[in-house]
Amino acid sequence: MSIYDLYWTKPVEIRMQCGLKRSFRHPYDALDFLESEWPTRHGAAYRRAVLWCGQSLETEQLAGLARCSFMTAAREAGMLVPGKPERRCGTVAAPHHW
């Protein structure tokens, strides 16, 4: 399985500052957006999203954690499109070495 085969079962929808909506279904796309287009590149949620999206490209077991951390960062940045609450996606903890 390559990193390009790893899709989230449910997309993460964000609303950009210009008002357009974007949908993310893959940790690679989320990481690229975080590193190149994210409006505020600071904060714990942002750093965790970058970390977990990057790590999930190396092991598929982290895909859910990457999705949750991306959602948390988007919520913190005021970009997450409101939807049905996620049952298994709460606060994402940082690794101990932070």
Side-chain angles (χ1 to χ4, degrees):
M1 173 182 279
S2 82
I3 63 167
Y4 303 103
D5 295 329
L6 181 67
Y7 286 92
W8 295 329
T9 56
K10 187 174 177 188
V12 175
E13 303 268 328
I14 67 163
R15 185 176 309 278
M16 298 181 356
Q17 291 176 328
C18 64
L20 294 175
K21 281 187 184 178
R22 262 185 88 178
S23 181
F24 294 85
R25 294 193 63 96
H26 195 283
Y28 180 83
D29 295 331
L31 180 61
D32 183 55
F33 185 76
L34 285 161
E35 292 180 334
S36 62
E37 298 181 59
W38 200 257
T40 56
R41 294 185 184 142
H42 62 278
Y46 169 78
R47 290 192 307 272
R48 284 190 296 267
V50 169
L51 172 75
W52 293 124
C53 286
Q55 290 293 316
S56 73
L57 299 180
E58 296 187 25
T59 178
E60 64 186 79
Q61 287 80 14
L62 296 176
L65 186 57
R67 183 177 178 275
C68 284
S69 65
F70 184 65
M71 289 177 62
T72 301
R75 185 177 299 112
E76 184 178 274
M79 296 175 19
L80 186 65
V81 172
K84 201 167 142 183
E86 301 279 329
R87 286 186 191 197
R88 298 173 56 196
C89 189
T91 302
V92 180
H96 293 291
H97 66 278
W98 273 16

